Amino acid sequence: MRKLQTITLALLMLLASSAISAQDAKMNAFIDQLMKKMTLEEKLGQLNLPSSNDFVTGAAASTDIAKKIIAGKVGGLFNIKSYAKIKEVQKLAVEQSRLKIPLMFGMDVIHGYETVFPIPLGLSCSWDMALIERSARIAANEASADGINWTFSPMVDISRDPRWGRVSEGNGEDPFLGSQIAKAMVKGYQGTDLSKNNTLLSCVKHYALYGASEAGRDYNTTDMSRVRMYNEYLPPYKAAVDAGVGSVMASFNEIDGVPATANKWLLTDLLKKQWGFKGLVVSDYTGVSEMIAHGIGDYQTVSAKALMAGLDMDMVSEGLLNTTAQSLKEGKVNMERINAACRKILEAKYKLGLFEDPYRYLDENRAKTEVFTAANRKEARSTAAQSFVLLKNQNKVLPLKKNGTLALIGPLADNKENMGGTWSVAANLSKATSLLTGLKEVVGDQVKIMYARGSNLDADAAFEERAGMFGKSLKRDNRPEEVILNEALEVAKQADVIVAALGESAEMTGESSSRTNLDIPAVQKKLLNALLKTGKPVVLVLFTGRPLTLTWEDQRVPAILNVWFGGSEAPYAIADVLFGDVNPSGKLSTTFPQNVGQIPLFYNHKNTGRPLSGPWFQKFQSNYLDVTNEPLYPFGYGLSYSNFQYSELKLSAASLKGNQTLTATVTVTNNSNVEGKEVVQLYIRDLVGSVTRPVKELKGFQKISLKAGESMDVSFALTPEDLKFYNYDLKYDWEPGEFQIMIGTNSRDVKTAKVNWTK
Ligand code: BGC
């Protein structure tokens, strides 16, 4: 019987694989035919991805880009929004160009389209893969309804440096969590059939190591050992590739002295050969021409190097379009690479179904009915609430009661444009809601809500302007600082509770928004201090796109709810959590340091030869004179209105051999009278290795829901697969020996047991 099943299975697999190759054969035959007709110039045209910034509807045929499209010199376009505009441009390609090859339309659909979900760093704190996948699915549905078929997402750059503004766009510091999220996002965008009109081609970025830019300064150099790269930074990109991501974006930074965009080891040897990536590789914005400034050659040289390294498509620089024919004549590139790159672009279009119907993603009815819908907004609201992290809740200040008077104070309290956060390029800011409006809509007839601004975002007007780009100004109040503050104190006096909406503006993180000071701006801290002095309970609703240094706040403010930037529905979600309709369950995906000097600070660090054990300070141990090694809030940390208790950890065996499975179990009890969700986290430590191993590594997590008083056994199964790492020779394997197994509510507070695992 078993034999019969095996044979049937093998037969089915054979059939499936031959079905795939039949599909591929059909695609290849189609592209072969098409490429036979293409001139060199037309092939290079496919490699060209300009931004459509200058495209104006109605003037289509006369713009520079339009002329290029008609001449077959454009493969795709990005930064163009709306069904109507995209249709007009697609018409140029399929009605006026010689070979009628349709265009791809890309966009940074990063965390939602018009319905905006939390910034990725926030979303990652949900630790809920189904929820994350759904958010990508909804984003894909809305974007594709409006004509887009390619998204430059997910961004999976591991980062341990909150000075870097782009931490907001990623999933934090952990390769395991980051890999799970990478997979979920790719699945959400691409679905199971890319040719469906509601899917997007996904693009994992920024390959690779962009999050390790020196000093947290954007676009800066990166440099690290291969062992660290393979074990800690590369896994999320690889996870996206394994999940079938259709495209990869090369990063701006250099790796081993060669910019990623022209790094053959990275783009060809590792990505295409070792990992077997079959899709297209696109540069980042002007990534090709920037290599002139990097210092590896002139325009023609850097373009030739990029192409020969494995880059298939050139975003904005037009170097591949303009210089490759000359490089071909000079023998600096070859026809084989040009053909291979062109084929990748055509394959993507084929898979998207664009050759069958170039207007597949251009259905006017969908554009009108499937964007910013009530159902999508409802999902975004509950998703936002799952992303919030309760950092402190002394004396159960939260949840608030639905009565009395509430003073909502702060520069982020009545500004709708900032709620969505950075990289919400498709958002319609006129449809956004402010926190003040959201609170009033949710509880306004039960709670009297008063408002005052209290302070500007920052005392420095020029800084505030830099932090308010893309229509997200906080509309500065030019009255004297004391006047604005006193007005707020008058309002605060009349309230039972004060909610202070403070922190960063949306554009204080994101691209080119690095900071060296990670405090809440001083003028807001002054306001917070004055509010605390009123003696009324104060809840800090913290807006931020990165871990901030909150030591001062943690010592003084009774309740801190970190709401990141929760998207278009954030104000409602904040009300839901503040008033207890939703119990917060987010857990940090990145460490919050005590101060900037500790950076980089991350939970999965190495032990060193002189670890600090016992109390701080110890001379000649690895520590600081002025501050402990501890973070303020560790990775995995987040409170709830419930109170979860963990039993001791039980292991199914104390010693194991070979491919056996270890089961690790804890009993988690909700010791409170409110139902809540908890993310139970499993860490391991490989105590002895041929290369040194981190003191903790996340290897599993489960998000569970427990009713008041309820207990649950939570078990994790571990096999040698979970013990594997890249050794000195970059071989991926596990090594026998002793392992610590740890389960807990965050990376610091864990129950521990030991096993011995032999080969
Ligand atoms: C960013 C990318 C983005 C691209 C296109 C670049 O500046 O680094 O993340 O996808 O622009 O907008």
Side-chain angles (χ1 to χ4, degrees):
M1 187 63 184
R2 161 115 9 122
K3 209 167 181 184
L4 199 70
Q5 272 176 354
T6 319
I7 293 169
T8 323
L9 196 73
L11 218 75
L12 279 174
M13 280 166 70
L14 200 76
L15 276 174
S17 70
S18 61
I20 291 165
S21 50
Q23 254 178 23
D24 280 357
K26 206 170 146 205
M27 175 176 77
N28 293 342
F30 175 86
I31 294 174
D32 287 346
Q33 283 307 313
L34 180 57
M35 284 183 65
K36 272 188 200 146
K37 294 183 216 151
M38 293 173 84
T39 62
L40 172 64
E41 220 182 19
E42 282 165 333
K43 287 178 180 170
L44 298 177
Q46 289 304 307
L47 317 188
N48 193 30
L49 177 68
S51 161
S52 78
N53 287 339
D54 65 343
F55 186 82
V56 191
T57 321
S62 62
T63 63
D64 181 42
I65 286 182
K67 284 185 200 140
K68 283 187 184 147
I69 294 171
I70 294 166
K73 291 182 174 175
V74 174
L77 215 57
F78 73 106
N79 270 347
I80 178 167
K81 189 191 168 194
S82 95
Y83 150 83
K85 279 193 200 172
I86 293 177
K87 184 155 188 188
E88 201 175 332
V89 181
Q90 189 68 304
K91 265 189 163 176
L92 292 177
V94 295
E95 289 180 11
Q96 297 197 45
S97 73
R98 190 178 79 91
L99 290 173
K100 308 185 177 358
I101 300 175
L103 298 172
M104 288 161 72
F105 292 93
M107 188 188 259
D108 290 281
V109 182
I110 307 292
H111 51 113
Y113 189 69
E114 282 200 16
T115 303
V116 183
F117 285 84
I119 55 166
L121 186 62
L123 197 56
S124 69
C125 293
S126 71
W127 296 56
D128 184 334
M129 297 310 118
L131 181 102
I132 291 173
E133 185 180 329
R134 276 203 308 277
S135 78
R137 182 87 293 283
I138 287 173
N141 204 70
E142 286 199 5
S144 63
D146 211 16
I148 300 296
N149 45 45
W150 185 18
T151 177
F152 304 132
S153 175
M155 188 279 219
V156 302
D157 306 329
I158 294 292
S159 184
R160 296 154 167 185
D161 195 330
R163 292 172 298 182
W164 191 50
R166 303 198 80 169
V167 289
S168 55
E169 297 173 53
N171 306 310
E173 72 192 32
D174 186 63
F176 181 84
L177 180 61
S179 298
Q180 307 295 318
I181 295 174
K183 276 190 255 171
M185 296 290 286
V186 171
K187 267 169 75 186
Y189 288 134
Q190 295 193 162
T192 47
D193 178 1
L194 257 190
S195 72
K196 283 201 174 141
N197 72 352
N198 66 353
T199 51
L200 299 178
L201 184 79
S202 168
C203 181
V204 67
K205 69 187 188 186
H206 306 83
Y207 182 69
L209 320 184
Y210 184 32
S213 59
E214 286 174 1
R217 182 159 53 80
D218 209 0
Y219 318 122
N220 205 0
T221 306
T222 64
D223 201 0
M224 70 174 71
S225 71
R226 288 281 153 102
V227 168
R228 168 164 278 182
M229 202 187 280
Y230 273 71
N231 283 309
E232 301 166 34
Y233 280 77
L234 291 178
Y237 308 107
K238 181 165 188 302
V241 169
D242 291 344
V245 73
S247 59
V248 170
M249 187 185 290
S251 56
F252 287 127
N253 55 282
E254 65 172 64
I255 291 170
D256 296 333
V258 179
T261 314
N263 194 314
K264 181 169 173 296
W265 170 78
L266 188 75
L267 303 187
T268 299
D269 300 349
L270 183 65
L271 179 67
K272 296 187 181 184
K273 291 189 180 154
Q274 278 187 46
W275 292 357
F277 174 65
K278 297 273 183 296
L280 75 94
V281 181
V282 63
S283 78
D284 201 347
Y285 202 107
T286 59
V288 171
S289 54
E290 284 175 26
M291 291 192 289
I292 304 168
H294 273 286
I296 64 158
D298 59 16
Y299 188 48
Q300 186 188 334
T301 308
V302 295
S303 305
K305 281 187 175 179
L307 181 67
M308 292 314 289
L311 189 84
D312 302 312
M313 202 174 201
D314 173 357
M315 187 191 279
V316 179
S317 302
E318 305 215 318
L320 298 192
L321 178 76
N322 294 330
T323 70
T324 306
Q326 184 61 26
S327 293
L328 185 66
K329 270 192 214 144
E330 295 171 12
K332 289 179 178 147
V333 301
N334 56 47
M335 207 54 217
E336 194 189 341
R337 253 314 284 153
I338 296 171
N339 282 333
C342 175
R343 184 175 284 275
K344 291 293 170 198
I345 317 303
L346 297 175
E347 279 177 6
K349 294 179 179 183
Y350 186 96
K351 287 177 184 161
L352 282 166
L354 290 171
F355 285 112
E356 213 174 78
D357 177 8
Y359 301 105
R360 174 164 300 223
Y361 301 87
L362 293 162
D363 171 342
E364 191 172 5
N365 186 42
R366 284 193 64 210
K368 283 189 182 144
T369 58
E370 295 185 24
V371 179
F372 204 60
T373 61
N376 291 354
R377 293 181 62 194
K378 190 169 169 225
E379 177 76 16
R381 175 172 173 171
S382 68
T383 304
Q386 304 298 310
S387 75
F388 301 161
V389 184
L390 183 62
L391 297 175
K392 191 177 169 193
N393 193 18
Q394 200 180 338
N395 302 330
K396 296 204 171 152
V397 172
L398 288 175
L400 302 175
K401 294 184 184 61
K402 284 186 189 161
N403 55 40
T405 302
L406 181 155
L408 178 65
I409 293 172
L412 274 314
D414 191 23
N415 181 288
K416 61 180 185 176
E417 291 84 2
N418 275 263
M419 296 296 103
T422 189
W423 278 117
S424 41
V425 295
N428 183 340
L429 295 180
S430 68
K431 291 185 192 163
T433 311
S434 75
L435 178 55
L436 179 60
T437 307
L439 281 185
K440 282 184 176 166
E441 276 183 39
V442 177
V443 289
D445 49 353
Q446 300 162 78
V447 181
K448 183 176 175 199
I449 295 170
M450 300 178 74
Y451 161 76
R453 185 187 189 99
S455 82
N456 278 312
L457 178 76
D458 196 279
D460 177 355
F463 176 90
E464 185 159 329
E465 205 181 316
R466 291 198 289 277
M469 291 188 168
F470 312 124
K472 294 177 189 165
S473 162
L474 285 173
K475 302 181 189 80
R476 198 171 174 80
D477 187 333
N478 288 316
R479 291 176 297 164
E481 205 176 293
E482 295 308 316
V483 174
I484 306 172
L485 176 64
N486 287 334
E487 177 187 79
L489 293 176
E490 280 310 310
V491 168
K493 265 188 214 157
Q494 300 166 54
D496 303 305
V497 61
I498 299 167
V499 172
L502 310 178
E504 295 192 312
S505 62
E507 295 302 327
M508 274 169 78
T509 48
E511 187 167 348
S512 187
S513 292
S514 295
R515 293 179 69 198
T516 60
N517 173 348
L518 300 186
D519 285 349
I520 292 176
V523 69
Q524 295 187 53
K525 245 165 129 165
K526 193 169 153 191
L527 165 66
L528 183 58
N529 200 21
L531 294 175
L532 288 166
K533 282 194 181 143
T534 63
K536 312 244 170 169
V538 176
V539 176
L540 170 56
V541 170
L542 180 72
F543 289 88
T544 180
R546 55 156 61 83
L548 293 177
T549 43
L550 300 170
T551 303
W552 184 92
E553 290 77 4
D554 184 68
Q555 284 162 2
R556 293 166 178 82
V557 187
I560 307 177
L561 180 68
N562 180 8
V563 297
W564 306 109
F565 289 98
S568 52
E569 312 311 311
Y572 305 111
I574 295 170
D576 292 340
V577 172
L578 286 179
F579 290 97
D581 293 331
V582 176
N583 189 351
S585 59
K587 300 273 192 174
L588 297 177
S589 59
T590 179
T591 304
F592 275 47
Q594 296 183 62
N595 66 27
V596 173
Q598 290 183 305
I599 296 169
L601 184 68
F602 46 95
Y603 86 95
N604 45 355
H605 59 83
K606 299 292 183 69
N607 202 36
T608 81
R610 295 188 177 198
L612 181 70
S613 58
W616 168 76
F617 166 84
Q618 292 171 31
K619 193 68 183 165
F620 303 122
Q621 294 306 111
S622 180
N623 54 184
Y624 299 99
L625 279 174
D626 55 349
V627 68
T628 68
N629 292 352
E630 294 306 307
L632 180 65
Y633 305 121
F635 174 84
Y637 172 86
L639 304 173
S640 159
Y641 297 153
S642 312
N643 175 25
F644 298 108
Q645 233 179 20
Y646 282 64
S647 71
E648 289 309 313
L649 166 59
K650 279 177 281 178
L651 298 183
S652 59
S655 56
L656 292 102
K657 198 170 160 60
N659 268 340
Q660 288 181 321
T661 299
L662 173 74
T663 308
T665 308
V666 287
T667 310
V668 184
T669 306
N670 179 354
N671 248 338
S672 73
N673 53 13
V674 249
E675 179 170 357
K677 290 183 187 157
E678 166 73 341
V679 180
V680 184
Q681 302 157 38
L682 170 88
Y683 299 87
I684 66 162
R685 178 172 179 186
D686 187 347
L687 286 161
V688 178
S690 57
V691 292
T692 60
R693 310 293 305 124
V695 296
K696 265 173 201 158
E697 289 177 276
L698 183 73
K699 289 291 174 185
F701 56 86
Q702 290 180 41
K703 193 164 181 177
I704 58 166
S705 185
L706 289 180
K707 297 213 165 63
E710 195 186 350
S711 285
M712 190 189 278
D713 285 346
V714 181
S715 291
F716 293 88
L718 280 167
T719 69
E721 199 51 41
D722 301 297
L723 311 177
K724 286 185 176 172
F725 62 93
Y726 290 93
N727 68 15
Y728 203 80
D729 302 319
L730 302 180
K731 192 168 166 253
Y732 190 60
D733 204 356
W734 67 286
E735 295 173 0
E738 282 204 320
F739 297 84
Q740 262 175 6
I741 312 293
M742 294 159 270
I743 299 187
T745 182
N746 61 57
S747 63
R748 180 189 57 204
D749 303 312
V750 292
K751 305 286 183 184
T752 307
K754 236 187 222 179
V755 292
N756 190 41
W757 213 317
T758 54
K759 279 232 169 175

